[in-house]
Every structure is written in C-alpha cells, then in structure tokens.
Amino acid sequence: MSIITTDVNNEALKAGKSYHQQRWQVIALYLLALIITMLLFGWLLREQYKQEIESAESQITARANVVTEWAKGVFAQSGQALFGLDELITMQGVSDTSNSQALQQVLENLTLYVPMTDEIAVLGPNGRVLARGSNNHNAGSDISNTRFFNAFKQGGQQEIITPLHWSARDQAYYLYHGRRLDTSSGDFAGLVISSIVPSIFADALQQMHVYDGESIALVDSDSKLIARHPASDRFSIGMKVENSQALQGVVSGESFWSFKALSPIDGRERLFHMQRVGEYPMLAVVGIDLHELLSGWRQRVLILLLVMGVITLLGAWGVRHYLNRLALAHQLQQRIEEREEARAEAQVAAAAFQTHLGILITDAQGSIIKVNDTFKRITGYDEVDLIGKNPRMFSSGYHNDAFYRRLWKRIAKTGNWEGEIWNKRKNGELFPEWLTISAVYSPTRVLTHYVATMSDISERKAAEQEIHQLAFYDPLTGLANRRLFMDRMEAALKELQRHQRCGALLFIDIDNFKQINDTLGHYNGDQLLQGVARRLGQMLRDTDTLARLGGDEFAVLIEGVDSSPAQTAQLAEGIAHKLLTQLGKPIILAEESIEVTGCIGITILADSLHKVDDYLQQVDMALFQAKSNGRHSVCFFDPEMQTALLAHVKLEADLRQALADKQWQLYYQPQVNHLGTITGVEALLRWQHPERGMVSPGEFIPLLESNGLINDVGEWVLEDACYQLVRWAKSPRFSGLTVSVNISPMQFRDENFLKRVEGVFARTQAPLNRLKLEVTESLFVEARDDAREKMLHLKAKGVRFSLDDFGTGYSSLAYLAQLPLDQLKIDQSFVQQVLESQANAAIVESTIALAESLNLEVIAEGVESEAQQAWLLAHDCHAYQGYLFGHPVTAEAFETLMLSD
C-alpha cells in the first residue's frame, strides 16, 4: 500500500511541475509576442516620423533655394549698378572736378532707377566722399579711418558687401555694397558704394505665400534679423537672433544645414533650414512649425496605441482563458488522483464546485441533481428550476439530432466530450459556451453520474468577430480589404467555371489624390476616401464586392452576369461611367468644394483558364492605360497590352544575357573635315540578337538605363573603343584618328564612374589624347558641380569632351562657360532642316557663332546632302558626320573604306 501511495505522490509531483512549466511558457510567449508587436509599432511610428521630417526638410529646402536665388539677384543688380558706375568713372576720371556736376547727375539717376538702394556715393582715394546720389550736401565726408575703406585700399579687396550697419545720420539700417576703383595703371583710385535698404527684402517676402506654421526670414552674418514673413510684433530689423545650433553652422562654414529649435521670434518649436546666400553676408532661414507638421503623425500614434491596447486586452483574455483551462485540467487531474487514492467521489465533487466554471451533475439517467453558483449565474436559472430536469431544457435549436447522437456516442466510447456549443439562458438569450461532459464510474465500472463543466465564451466570440473584421475589412472605409477581395475573386472564378457565367473586374484610381492629401492634410484625405467609398457603394448591388486595395485604389467585382462577354463588357462600361459620374460630384473638405475625378480599368472574367493574378495584372494594365489617356477616363484591357508587356520583359531578360554571350558590337561612323578627309569616328553600340537580328538602339538603350545595366555595358563600350584606338595607333594610316564614345548621364552620375573609367585606361593603355567622350545636356540639369569635377579629372589625363545633341535639351549658356568642353555637336534635327526652315537655320547659325566665341570646335551630325554641307561650310562649320560621308559600319569595313581612299 505504501509503494502505491509513493507512486501516486510522484506522479502528482510530476504533473504539478508540468503544469507550472506550461503556465510560465504561455505567459512568456504572450509577453514576447506583446514586446515584438510593440517594437514593430514603434518602428513603424519611427519610420513615419522620419518620413514626415524628411518631407518637411525637402519643402523648406526648396523654399530656401527660392529665397536664396532671389537675394542673389538683388545683390547682382546692385553689383551691376556699381560696375556700370565704375566703367563711367574710369572713362571720366575720378579726380576730374569739372565732371562733378555730371557725376552727381549720374548718381541721382542711378539711385532713382535702382529701387533697392537708398543712395549711391563715390569716394576718392583719400576716403572723402566726392558725390552722393541723393544730394551733395555731405560731399567731403571722410571715412578713410574705417575698416571698410582700408579693406579696399590696403587689403586689395575688389568688392565687399557688409552685414546690417546702423547709420547714425539716417537713423536706419543699411547693407553697404562697395566696389574698388582703379586707375588705368592699376593703382587705388577710390570707391563706389551703394546703400541697400532692408525693406526691399521684407516687401519681397510678404509677396510669398506661406503655409500654416511656416516662416521665412533673412539674417546677416552677424545673426541680425533683416526681414521675416509672416511679420511679428516681436520682430524688428537688426534684432540679434542667437541660437547655438545656427551659430555652429555659421562658424563651421557649412553652405546649408538644418536643426530643430524654439523660434526666438514667436517661441514655437520649428524645424529650421539655414542656407547661405552665395558668398554674401546673408543667410536664408525657413522654418516650419513641428506641432502643425506632426499633427497627422500624432493621430496615427493614438490609433496605433488604441490598436495595441485592443491587442493587449485580447491577448490577455486569451491567455487567461487558456490558463484557466490549464488550471482546471490540472485541478481535475489532482481531484481524480485524490479520488483514486481516497476512493471518496463526493469529496472530488466538493472541490470542483469551488471553481469559477459552471458545473452541472446528473445521475446515470441524465436528471440534474446538483449545480454550482457559477452555473446558475451563467444560465439565469435557480436551483429549484433545475433539480430533476433534463439538460435538454438548455437546447438552443442550433444543433440537429445528428450532432447530439455523435456527442453521446463519443462519451460512451471514451468517457468524455469537449467542444463549443450554443445553449439558451432562462430569459431566452442564446449564448456560446465551452462544454466538457465526463462520465463517472464506480470502482466496479458502473456508470453513476455525468459531470458537465461549462464556461461562457461570448466575450471570446465577440473578440474573434472583431479580429475577423480587422483581418478582412479596411479600417478606414469599412470596405473589403485586399485579402477578402482576393478570396472572393477565387470564389468567383470557381462559380464562373461551374455555371459558365461572366463577370467583370474594375480598378478605380482617384486622380491627383497625393496632391489633395499633401495640400489639405491626411485627415481630409481620409475624409475624402470615406466619401468616395460611400458614393461608390451607393451605385453597386449587394451582390457586387467593393474593396479598397490600398491608398486611393478601389476595386469592384461584378458577379453573376450573363454568359456573353460582349454584354458583360457593355454592362461593365455603363457601371464604370455611372461610378465616374457619381465620383465627379463636388465634395466639401476643409470648408472647400473639391471636384474629384478618377480613372477606371476594366477586364472581363470570361475564361476559367486564367488565375486571379492573371486578371489582376490585366486590370492593372488597363488602369495604367486609362491614367495615360488623361483624367476621368475608362479603359478595357486589350491583349495587345499584355503582348507588349511580355515583349518588354523578354527583351529585358535578353539584355542581361547579351553581355555574357558577346552579342554586343561596336560600329564606327566617319567624321570628316571640309575637304572630305576622315578625321575620326563615332563608336556606336549595336546589338546582334540571336533571334531578332539587329535590334535598334532606340529600343534597347532606354532599357539599359532603366534597369541599371548601362554601367556595365557602357564600360564594355569604352573598353572596346580604347582597344580599337590602341590597334589603330600602330598604323600610320589610322594613328591620327579620334574615337568618340557616348557616355550616358546615368554612367556619369554613378559613384564608381571614375574608378571604372580609370580601370579601362589602365587595362588598355590607349592614347587618351585621341579619345573624345560625348555627353548630353541632361547631365548638367542636376549636380553640375559634380559633373564638372569628374570632367576636369579626366581632362587632366588628356581626354576631350564633346557636347552631343546641343540645343535639344537644357541649353543654358551659363554652363557652357563653366564646363571643360572641347566641341559642340549640332543635333541632326536642326541640320536636316537648315534649307527648309529659317528657324532651324538661325539656331544652327547661332550655335556656330556661340562655339567660335567660346573657342569650341563645332561638328554637325546628320548631314545627308551636299546642299546641307555647302550651307554649313558657308556658315563656318568645317566638320561633319552623316550618311553623306558613310553609314556606321564594323571596324573591319571602316578600315577597308579608309584603305580604298
């Protein structure tokens, strides 16, 4: 007997340890999942915060650029006035007193017609004022002892602009702009000075529209405020604006920098962007109120916190429910062990009745003999209502006879049943419960009782419903989300196959939604999406599925249509136009009437051989085409769209194999002088496709640039051309030829461009003085300084540069004077029209004159007739390229052509 007792105690100890381990494992998993969820939400909020800040930085940087460029223009205008005055004085002579009256008149006129200056003065070499633009009563004033004057006289400064300076005479602030005067021999002859009034900056800033929370200011290099918009009672010209972060950027010499700080003007925390106004003693400062900026982000924080709270509560409820079940199982196990040990069944029952679960005990015939308080509380019945009754009184009617037969068959076979079941309370309310029924036997295996334990799971079912709502419906609009829409698409295709019916799939996209979202804010953007969802839903049947797939993209699935694709298409088109009409009605947002338009792509579901992804791809292509057609348009999927897309994808895949399979070739087109002598060639890339033959460069060059292969292929082109230069350098007949190689702007902007090019030069050892790299104007639209530095680096190695397709792109004369170019290449679109179009002829003639003025060579491409060449020669263009002199050919064919001449 003692051995049996010991075994029972050991088993009980093991069971207790297992229960506690399981309990702590469940709690640990719940806490781990909660922490991971919190970290994920935190990361999402952090990324959204960074995006808001980066977007704001881009906005205020663009603002600062505009203000900076305008301020530069003011100083440039002042500088132009001083330069013109310098020229006039140099011609008249500063010390010539006979011209003082004329000089005074010139200064008065100049002051009158340069509105940003208060007055303009001329000083002699001794620092005395010779004449002023406003009046001459202060002529003779002496500033020879000032640091400003000595910077010109002794320091040799040519031009200086001062920070804000207080004029005691005028009781006002000015910025002084001075220019040195020199004699014909280069000796110091005096100064011309303009007084710039700060109010012109304030007037200009007042003309600029600012958003809520935005501010624009100009300060000088001594941190004194020049102008600010919007104006503030706390603002005054010359006020010292001190901020450690701003001062740190000034001291460090940065061109521009951003920081967060409290505004010294209005005390609001702002994100500031400071930017130097060129080399002038002025900084542009643009700020944006962080409170206004982050209002939408804070709303999303609140929403995520609420979602996190719901998840936490649901998870805690689930863990609690599981732990309760685990505890109950553990308790029951303990009670069974106690029953086996003590053979005291009544004493199992007393302990079980102390649990929080509802407990019902019947006799072997199923009549109720005992219930606990929890059971009475859950069902609403009193004990007097239950004793002697059959549990069938709780039946809800949800379950048929077959269900109950399976239930009792299970109990008879295994001794217990466990599962979810719907029952009825005393007040008639139906509720879900988790029910466990166990058969109790005597030691002689005679059935004595049935014990049922139950727990009300209404809250859990409600939570499951909420989780289902979150999983399958869009939280903003309440429409089906992408997951549910995909499920219904799958079901619709099965129905289509089973009943031979057609359906339609529509994608709807709101035109310019991002602009509405950016200008009116995310809150109003959400209101717009909710309004659109309501309007679209009003136009559809209950059997149609309307979903929001994300952003401003909606989808409609129309099922159960006639088996005719043509009739289905007609119906879908009518629905689409009704939706667009409903969508186009004005909607009030932020007290403004907004007109919304959209585009719709449609595909017909008529072929069960296609999968969901196939139809989604089709309707997506149809929507893309509709958007390309313009606002408020409808477009059906055309198989030709898919054919074109597949051809594009196939061509891109073939491109990746072309380099490995050595399908690239270089062709060379002659470049000649006015005597017809070949002076060089342009290397042109050709693709010999194994199936399609020769592929047009206009077809594959854009693909190379779009997928990034242009860097590898461009390196191969340059290397092959350099090896050709090396081979020709060994022959006297070819050693004088130059080779021009086209360089894509994407290659030039690659951070490894110089490393790649220098690697080619090192491998080939080509004569770089015979190599010309052809670049286009689009290279200089962005990062012009970076391009210039790379060009100078290669220029130092002997490489020459030609500007290709001049006149067809950016065409700013400013960069021509700054870039190390050797040649301008006139685009063939102008050359081929010089005889028919006066406008094109004027452009070509001007380009030739421009090249001569800049000491640049000029070559015309696309020359196809002798008349065109004669016209070019008559207008001083002596280099040509085109079909008149030869088509692009292989290196071998070109060499044969050269040797035959």
Side-chain angles (χ1 to χ4, degrees), residues 408-637:
W408 289 109
K409 185 177 180 180
R410 176 73 177 178
I411 295 174
K413 182 178 180 179
T414 64
N416 61 76
W417 179 90
E418 182 178 28
E420 182 181 310
I421 191 171
W422 283 81
N423 273 334
K424 183 168 60 176
R425 306 186 205 272
K426 184 177 181 179
N427 61 8
E429 177 187 353
L430 303 184
F431 70 101
E433 65 178 37
W434 190 262
L435 178 64
T436 301
I437 302 177
S438 299
V440 180
Y441 296 90
S442 69
T444 59
R445 300 302 298 168
V446 175
L447 178 65
T448 59
H449 300 87
Y450 290 104
V451 177
T453 62
M454 54 90 81
S455 62
D456 188 346
I457 58 172
S458 300
E459 293 182 1
R460 190 189 77 181
K461 298 294 288 186
E464 289 175 352
Q465 179 61 31
E466 184 174 356
I467 292 172
H468 179 271
Q469 183 73 18
L470 292 173
F472 291 99
Y473 292 89
D474 175 43
L476 178 64
T477 62
L479 300 179
N481 62 11
R482 179 179 291 272
R483 179 178 177 183
L484 180 56
F485 189 77
M486 296 291 283
D487 290 346
R488 293 192 177 174
M489 277 285 294
E490 292 279 3
L493 291 185
K494 292 178 182 178
E495 287 294 313
L496 180 150
Q497 183 177 12
R498 183 179 299 113
H499 300 293
Q500 298 299 312
R501 286 180 172 270
C502 294
L505 179 61
L506 290 72
F507 271 13
I508 307 167
D509 186 84
I510 301 175
D511 296 326
N512 300 324
F513 176 73
K514 184 178 184 303
Q515 180 180 352
I516 296 174
N517 219 22
D518 291 343
T519 55
L520 299 182
H522 294 290
Y523 173 78
N524 287 304
D526 290 345
Q527 295 294 309
L528 174 63
L529 291 176
Q530 291 173 342
V532 168
R534 286 193 298 271
R535 290 185 174 186
L536 296 179
Q538 292 169 359
M539 303 303 296
L540 298 172
R541 305 173 301 175
D542 292 338
T543 56
D544 299 331
T545 299
L546 173 62
R548 179 184 175 222
L549 303 185
D552 61 333
E553 191 173 82
F554 295 83
V556 177
L557 175 62
I558 301 173
E559 302 180 64
V561 189
D562 191 271
S563 59
S564 169
Q567 292 181 2
T568 303
Q570 185 177 4
L571 174 64
E573 184 176 13
I575 292 174
H577 285 294
K578 288 181 180 179
L579 292 176
L580 288 183
T581 300
Q582 185 73 359
L583 188 64
K585 295 179 181 178
I587 186 171
I588 303 300
L589 289 178
E591 299 182 354
E592 295 185 24
S593 179
I594 305 297
E595 291 189 2
V596 181
T597 60
C599 293
I600 299 181
I602 308 174
T603 190
I604 302 302
L605 311 179
D607 186 354
S608 60
L609 297 179
H610 287 89
K611 298 181 180 179
V612 171
D613 289 342
D614 298 330
Y615 284 117
L616 292 176
Q617 186 183 56
Q618 290 177 8
V619 74
D620 201 45
M621 286 189 284
L623 177 61
F624 178 80
Q625 185 61 45
K627 292 167 69 174
S628 300
N629 294 341
R631 301 174 62 178
H632 210 69
S633 62
V634 176
C635 183
F636 278 85
F637 167 73

Side-chain angles (χ1 to χ4, degrees), residues 748 779-780 782-792 819-820:
F748 224 95
L779 173 64
F780 311 113
E782 299 178 3
R784 184 189 308 169
D785 293 339
D786 178 68
R788 181 173 183 273
E789 291 177 4
K790 291 178 179 177
M791 291 174 68
L792 288 173
L819 298 173

Side-chain angles (χ1 to χ4, degrees), residues 140-170:
S141 300
D142 188 353
I143 66 167
S144 59
N145 293 327
T146 64
R147 185 168 57 181
F148 177 71
F149 180 79
N150 288 324
F152 289 98
K153 182 174 183 179
Q154 299 175 5
Q157 293 284 348
Q158 183 64 31
E159 192 169 346
I160 296 176
I161 297 178
T162 70
L164 274 180
H165 184 79
W166 177 257
S167 171
R169 176 172 66 89
D170 297 333

Side-chain angles (χ1 to χ4, degrees), residues 545-816:
T545 299
L546 173 62
R548 179 184 175 222
L549 303 185
D552 61 333
E553 191 173 82
F554 295 83
V556 177
L557 175 62
I558 301 173
E559 302 180 64
V561 189
D562 191 271
S563 59
S564 169
Q567 292 181 2
T568 303
Q570 185 177 4
L571 174 64
E573 184 176 13
I575 292 174
H577 285 294
K578 288 181 180 179
L579 292 176
L580 288 183
T581 300
Q582 185 73 359
L583 188 64
K585 295 179 181 178
I587 186 171
I588 303 300
L589 289 178
E591 299 182 354
E592 295 185 24
S593 179
I594 305 297
E595 291 189 2
V596 181
T597 60
C599 293
I600 299 181
I602 308 174
T603 190
I604 302 302
L605 311 179
D607 186 354
S608 60
L609 297 179
H610 287 89
K611 298 181 180 179
V612 171
D613 289 342
D614 298 330
Y615 284 117
L616 292 176
Q617 186 183 56
Q618 290 177 8
V619 74
D620 201 45
M621 286 189 284
L623 177 61
F624 178 80
Q625 185 61 45
K627 292 167 69 174
S628 300
N629 294 341
R631 301 174 62 178
H632 210 69
S633 62
V634 176
C635 183
F636 278 85
F637 167 73
D638 184 348
E640 292 183 0
M641 295 180 189
Q642 194 166 22
T643 302
L645 176 63
L646 293 176
H648 179 90
V649 172
K650 176 66 166 59
L651 187 63
E652 186 169 355
D654 291 346
L655 270 178
R656 299 184 182 277
Q657 196 63 29
L659 187 60
D661 293 346
K662 299 182 179 178
Q663 297 171 11
W664 299 119
Q665 288 181 276
L666 281 189
Y667 276 42
Y668 297 92
Q669 186 174 28
Q671 296 177 337
V672 303
N673 60 20
H674 64 288
L675 300 176
T677 303
I678 296 177
T679 59
V681 294
E682 180 180 0
L684 300 170
L685 180 62
R686 295 293 183 264
W687 181 15
Q688 185 64 39
H689 193 279
E691 299 172 2
R692 300 178 53 181
M694 194 67 72
V695 182
S696 168
E699 191 173 354
F700 68 80
I701 291 294
L703 270 180
L704 288 175
E705 292 184 332
S706 66
N707 59 24
L709 289 176
I710 191 66
N711 292 318
D712 294 333
V713 176
E715 182 178 358
W716 178 88
V717 171
L718 180 61
E719 184 167 340
D720 201 59
C722 286
Y723 275 126
Q724 189 62 58
L725 264 178
V726 172
R727 289 191 290 269
W728 283 343
K730 299 175 182 177
S731 170
R733 185 73 176 86
F734 299 95
S735 60
L737 295 176
T738 61
V739 174
S740 298
V741 178
N742 290 283
I743 301 295
S744 166
M746 291 189 64
Q747 287 178 259
F748 224 95
R749 293 170 186 147
D750 181 48
E751 59 182 8
N752 295 319
F753 172 70
L754 288 179
K755 184 178 180 181
R756 285 178 179 264
V757 172
E758 290 174 344
V760 170
F761 293 165
R763 292 192 296 273
T764 62
Q765 295 297 309
L768 301 183
N769 62 324
R770 313 303 299 173
L771 176 66
K772 282 194 294 186
L773 299 183
E774 293 193 4
V775 296
T776 59
E777 295 172 299
S778 60
L779 173 64
F780 311 113
V781 176
E782 299 178 3
R784 184 189 308 169
D785 293 339
D786 178 68
R788 181 173 183 273
E789 291 177 4
K790 291 178 179 177
M791 291 174 68
L792 288 173
H793 182 85
L794 296 176
K795 186 90 170 176
K797 297 180 179 295
V799 177
R800 303 172 67 201
F801 284 92
S802 175
L803 183 59
D804 195 10
D805 301 334
F806 179 73
T808 62
Y810 185 51
S811 300
S812 169
L813 302 183
Y815 72 80
L816 289 179

